[in-house]
Amino acid sequence: MKRAIIIDDEPLARMIILEYLQDYPQIEVVQECNDGFEGIKAIQQHRPDLLFLDIQMPKINGFEMLELVDQPPSIIFTTAFDSYAIKAFDAHAIDYLLKPFSKERFDKALQKWIEQPATPEKTQSTSALLETASQLPNQQDRLVVKTGNNIRIIPTHEVLYLEADDDYVKIHTHAGVFLKSQTMQHFENALDNQQFVRIHRSYIVQVQQITRIDPYQKDTYTAILKSGAKIPVSRTGYGKLKTVLGI
């Protein structure tokens, strides 16, 4: 018996999936969730084999939810997301179902999942999926982090700078510092490159927070932020800053 969770804010969509799954007695739906917050708790509790996941949901969207889940299961998207965008995830998710989808299309997606081998490549695919999703325009205006049992949404305009910290990234804000299990490359791709610049291999700064740039050593500089923080600027980072600032 395989365990599945349906995460979708539309009751009708969840009902259709349940109806279609009646032909698959080997799949047990252990929980239905109305939003991403419920989805995270359900995944932690049940450790499902498969998610039927909507993308556009209130509170946090499907991609943001996946960022907060350790070792996500296989994913079949069930979404009204524009087809031109969702096609970008073809190589990274098991399948996607563009609403409204037929029983035939649903069966095709299920068959792909049933026939796939259970390998570590699944985790790598989820990571690749999130890297691709991070580059969508609607993913650039906020960051979602988990602090204990709570989820916090941080508008990007509140971010002062980001700092690499081993396998994590520290997100510095006026409200405090938050950790996220991600790479600096992920944030460099995800954030608006006209607002956030990677000035050093370990730092990404919000340009509007910089008050001045002082010479430090040969070909390196120090950025002084409004908060008083002093951030190293590499030669490459200085070049990026000059381009963005038009100097």
Side-chain angles (χ1 to χ4, degrees):
M1 181 69 73
K2 297 292 186 179
R3 299 183 303 277
I5 291 176
I6 303 171
I7 306 173
D8 197 310
D9 63 312
E10 300 176 22
L12 179 59
R14 299 198 302 269
M15 184 178 70
I16 289 171
I17 294 171
L18 284 172
E19 178 183 336
Y20 289 170
L21 281 173
Q22 289 180 7
D23 289 342
Y24 298 88
Q26 73 273 37
I27 300 175
E28 176 190 8
V29 176
V30 293
Q31 190 167 337
E32 297 177 51
C33 302
N34 189 54
D35 57 53
F37 289 171
E38 290 182 16
I40 292 171
K41 294 178 182 178
I43 292 168
Q44 291 173 336
Q45 179 182 351
H46 297 290
R47 299 296 176 186
D49 303 290
L50 176 64
L51 294 183
F52 293 96
L53 178 62
D54 190 13
I55 294 176
Q56 295 166 304
M57 295 185 292
K59 300 180 182 178
I60 60 174
N61 66 39
F63 298 135
E64 291 168 334
M65 191 209 77
L66 287 176
E67 286 187 20
L68 304 176
V69 175
D70 296 327
Q71 297 182 330
S74 298
I75 304 158
I76 294 177
F77 286 113
T78 58
T79 178
F81 209 86
D82 290 342
S83 58
Y84 80 89
I86 199 65
K87 284 184 183 298
F89 314 119
D90 246 351
H92 308 313
I94 297 299
D95 206 343
Y96 69 91
L97 299 171
L98 196 60
K99 298 176 181 175
F101 48 87
S102 65
K103 177 67 162 59
E104 180 182 9
R105 184 65 184 86
F106 181 88
D107 289 341
K108 180 180 177 182
L110 257 291
Q111 200 60 38
K112 284 177 65 176
W113 175 66
I114 291 169
E115 293 175 356
Q116 73 157 3
T119 68
E121 293 176 1
K122 182 171 63 177
T123 300
Q124 297 170 5
S125 293
T126 303
S127 176
L129 165 67
L130 294 177
E131 287 295 330
T132 305
S134 70
Q135 298 175 48
L136 290 177
N138 65 339
Q139 295 294 111
Q140 295 183 342
D141 60 353
R142 65 185 193 176
L143 305 177
V144 179
V145 298
K146 193 174 181 182
T147 56
N149 293 323
N150 298 319
I151 295 172
R152 187 182 186 103
I153 297 173
I154 306 172
T156 53
H157 67 78
E158 294 182 6
V159 176
L160 308 180
Y161 65 96
L162 297 96
E163 177 185 4
D165 184 18
D166 292 329
D167 294 333
Y168 294 84
V169 171
K170 289 181 178 177
I171 302 170
H172 293 260
T173 73
H174 286 303
V177 180
F178 304 92
L179 279 177
K180 192 170 178 91
S181 179
Q182 266 298 357
T183 65
M184 292 293 281
Q185 186 63 52
H186 168 86
F187 286 109
E188 188 175 12
N189 292 338
L191 295 169
D192 185 341
N193 59 16
Q194 295 301 304
Q195 298 181 38
F196 290 87
V197 175
R198 189 168 185 176
I199 59 174
H200 185 276
R201 65 180 183 179
S202 298
Y203 292 92
I204 295 174
V205 67
Q206 184 183 165
V207 175
Q208 292 184 347
Q209 293 297 322
I210 299 175
T211 58
R212 71 176 192 269
I213 302 172
D214 293 340
Y216 180 59
Q217 294 179 344
K218 183 180 179 181
D219 293 331
T220 63
Y221 302 82
T222 299
I224 312 299
L225 307 191
K226 294 176 182 178
S227 65
K230 297 180 179 180
I231 310 297
V233 183
S234 67
R235 179 174 60 182
T236 302
Y238 185 63
K240 292 178 182 177
L241 268 180
K242 290 196 334 182
T243 299
V244 171
L245 295 173
I247 58 176

PDB file of all heavy atoms in Angstrom, residues 181-193:
ATOM      1  N   SER A 181      17.937  26.417   4.593  1.00  0.00           N
ATOM      2  CA  SER A 181      18.767  25.379   4.004  1.00  0.00           C
ATOM      3  C   SER A 181      18.727  25.526   2.482  1.00  0.00           C
ATOM      4  O   SER A 181      17.911  24.902   1.806  1.00  0.00           O
ATOM      5  CB  SER A 181      18.277  23.986   4.426  1.00  0.00           C
ATOM      6  OG  SER A 181      19.056  22.984   3.831  1.00  0.00           O
ATOM      7  N   GLN A 182      19.600  26.366   1.966  1.00  0.00           N
ATOM      8  CA  GLN A 182      19.673  26.637   0.540  1.00  0.00           C
ATOM      9  C   GLN A 182      21.092  27.036   0.193  1.00  0.00           C
ATOM     10  O   GLN A 182      21.949  27.174   1.078  1.00  0.00           O
ATOM     11  CB  GLN A 182      18.697  27.748   0.143  1.00  0.00           C
ATOM     12  CG  GLN A 182      17.334  27.286  -0.336  1.00  0.00           C
ATOM     13  CD  GLN A 182      17.401  26.433  -1.598  1.00  0.00           C
ATOM     14  OE1 GLN A 182      18.473  26.227  -2.170  1.00  0.00           O
ATOM     15  NE2 GLN A 182      16.271  25.915  -2.027  1.00  0.00           N
ATOM     16  N   THR A 183      21.363  27.250  -1.076  1.00  0.00           N
ATOM     17  CA  THR A 183      22.679  27.676  -1.516  1.00  0.00           C
ATOM     18  C   THR A 183      22.649  29.154  -1.884  1.00  0.00           C
ATOM     19  O   THR A 183      21.600  29.723  -2.198  1.00  0.00           O
ATOM     20  CB  THR A 183      23.134  26.867  -2.742  1.00  0.00           C
ATOM     21  OG1 THR A 183      22.253  27.158  -3.843  1.00  0.00           O
ATOM     22  CG2 THR A 183      23.107  25.364  -2.446  1.00  0.00           C
ATOM     23  N   MET A 184      23.819  29.764  -1.878  1.00  0.00           N
ATOM     24  CA  MET A 184      23.908  31.149  -2.319  1.00  0.00           C
ATOM     25  C   MET A 184      23.549  31.266  -3.799  1.00  0.00           C
ATOM     26  O   MET A 184      22.950  32.253  -4.226  1.00  0.00           O
ATOM     27  CB  MET A 184      25.317  31.686  -2.065  1.00  0.00           C
ATOM     28  CG  MET A 184      25.667  31.836  -0.588  1.00  0.00           C
ATOM     29  SD  MET A 184      24.690  33.116   0.247  1.00  0.00           S
ATOM     30  CE  MET A 184      25.542  34.595  -0.298  1.00  0.00           C
ATOM     31  N   GLN A 185      23.912  30.246  -4.565  1.00  0.00           N
ATOM     32  CA  GLN A 185      23.579  30.254  -5.987  1.00  0.00           C
ATOM     33  C   GLN A 185      22.071  30.295  -6.196  1.00  0.00           C
ATOM     34  O   GLN A 185      21.569  30.969  -7.096  1.00  0.00           O
ATOM     35  CB  GLN A 185      24.171  29.017  -6.667  1.00  0.00           C
ATOM     36  CG  GLN A 185      24.012  29.014  -8.182  1.00  0.00           C
ATOM     37  CD  GLN A 185      24.757  30.158  -8.845  1.00  0.00           C
ATOM     38  OE1 GLN A 185      25.947  30.343  -8.597  1.00  0.00           O
ATOM     39  NE2 GLN A 185      24.070  30.931  -9.685  1.00  0.00           N
ATOM     40  N   HIS A 186      21.340  29.568  -5.338  1.00  0.00           N
ATOM     41  CA  HIS A 186      19.877  29.578  -5.421  1.00  0.00           C
ATOM     42  C   HIS A 186      19.350  31.001  -5.264  1.00  0.00           C
ATOM     43  O   HIS A 186      18.522  31.460  -6.053  1.00  0.00           O
ATOM     44  CB  HIS A 186      19.294  28.684  -4.332  1.00  0.00           C
ATOM     45  CG  HIS A 186      17.816  28.846  -4.147  1.00  0.00           C
ATOM     46  ND1 HIS A 186      16.892  28.152  -4.900  1.00  0.00           N
ATOM     47  CD2 HIS A 186      17.085  29.639  -3.312  1.00  0.00           C
ATOM     48  CE1 HIS A 186      15.667  28.494  -4.525  1.00  0.00           C
ATOM     49  NE2 HIS A 186      15.765  29.400  -3.578  1.00  0.00           N
ATOM     50  N   PHE A 187      19.840  31.716  -4.247  1.00  0.00           N
ATOM     51  CA  PHE A 187      19.340  33.070  -4.006  1.00  0.00           C
ATOM     52  C   PHE A 187      19.819  34.044  -5.076  1.00  0.00           C
ATOM     53  O   PHE A 187      19.099  34.971  -5.439  1.00  0.00           O
ATOM     54  CB  PHE A 187      19.770  33.547  -2.616  1.00  0.00           C
ATOM     55  CG  PHE A 187      19.005  32.907  -1.502  1.00  0.00           C
ATOM     56  CD1 PHE A 187      19.608  31.981  -0.668  1.00  0.00           C
ATOM     57  CD2 PHE A 187      17.674  33.208  -1.287  1.00  0.00           C
ATOM     58  CE1 PHE A 187      18.910  31.379   0.355  1.00  0.00           C
ATOM     59  CE2 PHE A 187      16.956  32.616  -0.262  1.00  0.00           C
ATOM     60  CZ  PHE A 187      17.571  31.690   0.559  1.00  0.00           C
ATOM     61  N   GLU A 188      21.010  33.824  -5.580  1.00  0.00           N
ATOM     62  CA  GLU A 188      21.498  34.688  -6.661  1.00  0.00           C
ATOM     63  C   GLU A 188      20.606  34.554  -7.890  1.00  0.00           C
ATOM     64  O   GLU A 188      20.320  35.541  -8.579  1.00  0.00           O
ATOM     65  CB  GLU A 188      22.945  34.328  -7.008  1.00  0.00           C
ATOM     66  CG  GLU A 188      23.579  35.293  -7.990  1.00  0.00           C
ATOM     67  CD  GLU A 188      25.051  34.999  -8.237  1.00  0.00           C
ATOM     68  OE1 GLU A 188      25.523  33.921  -7.823  1.00  0.00           O
ATOM     69  OE2 GLU A 188      25.724  35.854  -8.839  1.00  0.00           O
ATOM     70  N   ASN A 189      20.128  33.345  -8.152  1.00  0.00           N
ATOM     71  CA  ASN A 189      19.211  33.119  -9.270  1.00  0.00           C
ATOM     72  C   ASN A 189      17.804  33.637  -8.974  1.00  0.00           C
ATOM     73  O   ASN A 189      17.116  34.132  -9.862  1.00  0.00           O
ATOM     74  CB  ASN A 189      19.131  31.634  -9.600  1.00  0.00           C
ATOM     75  CG  ASN A 189      20.420  31.080 -10.171  1.00  0.00           C
ATOM     76  OD1 ASN A 189      21.237  31.823 -10.707  1.00  0.00           O
ATOM     77  ND2 ASN A 189      20.620  29.781 -10.041  1.00  0.00           N
ATOM     78  N   ALA A 190      17.379  33.488  -7.710  1.00  0.00           N
ATOM     79  CA  ALA A 190      15.984  33.751  -7.359  1.00  0.00           C
ATOM     80  C   ALA A 190      15.674  35.235  -7.176  1.00  0.00           C
ATOM     81  O   ALA A 190      14.599  35.697  -7.548  1.00  0.00           O
ATOM     82  CB  ALA A 190      15.615  32.993  -6.089  1.00  0.00           C
ATOM     83  N   LEU A 191      16.604  35.982  -6.612  1.00  0.00           N
ATOM     84  CA  LEU A 191      16.338  37.378  -6.281  1.00  0.00           C
ATOM     85  C   LEU A 191      16.551  38.284  -7.487  1.00  0.00           C
ATOM     86  O   LEU A 191      17.336  37.980  -8.388  1.00  0.00           O
ATOM     87  CB  LEU A 191      17.241  37.818  -5.129  1.00  0.00           C
ATOM     88  CG  LEU A 191      16.988  37.107  -3.785  1.00  0.00           C
ATOM     89  CD1 LEU A 191      18.105  37.432  -2.794  1.00  0.00           C
ATOM     90  CD2 LEU A 191      15.630  37.505  -3.208  1.00  0.00           C
ATOM     91  N   ASP A 192      15.853  39.413  -7.482  1.00  0.00           N
ATOM     92  CA  ASP A 192      15.972  40.397  -8.551  1.00  0.00           C
ATOM     93  C   ASP A 192      17.407  40.919  -8.590  1.00  0.00           C
ATOM     94  O   ASP A 192      17.879  41.549  -7.638  1.00  0.00           O
ATOM     95  CB  ASP A 192      14.993  41.547  -8.286  1.00  0.00           C
ATOM     96  CG  ASP A 192      14.951  42.559  -9.416  1.00  0.00           C
ATOM     97  OD1 ASP A 192      15.896  42.603 -10.231  1.00  0.00           O
ATOM     98  OD2 ASP A 192      13.974  43.329  -9.470  1.00  0.00           O
ATOM     99  N   ASN A 193      18.104  40.695  -9.709  1.00  0.00           N
ATOM    100  CA  ASN A 193      19.516  41.070  -9.765  1.00  0.00           C
ATOM    101  C   ASN A 193      19.745  42.568  -9.917  1.00  0.00           C
ATOM    102  O   ASN A 193      20.891  43.017  -9.941  1.00  0.00           O
ATOM    103  CB  ASN A 193      20.241  40.308 -10.888  1.00  0.00           C
ATOM    104  CG  ASN A 193      19.646  40.569 -12.265  1.00  0.00           C
ATOM    105  OD1 ASN A 193      18.892  41.523 -12.463  1.00  0.00           O
ATOM    106  ND2 ASN A 193      19.983  39.719 -13.222  1.00  0.00           N
TER     107      ASN A 193
END
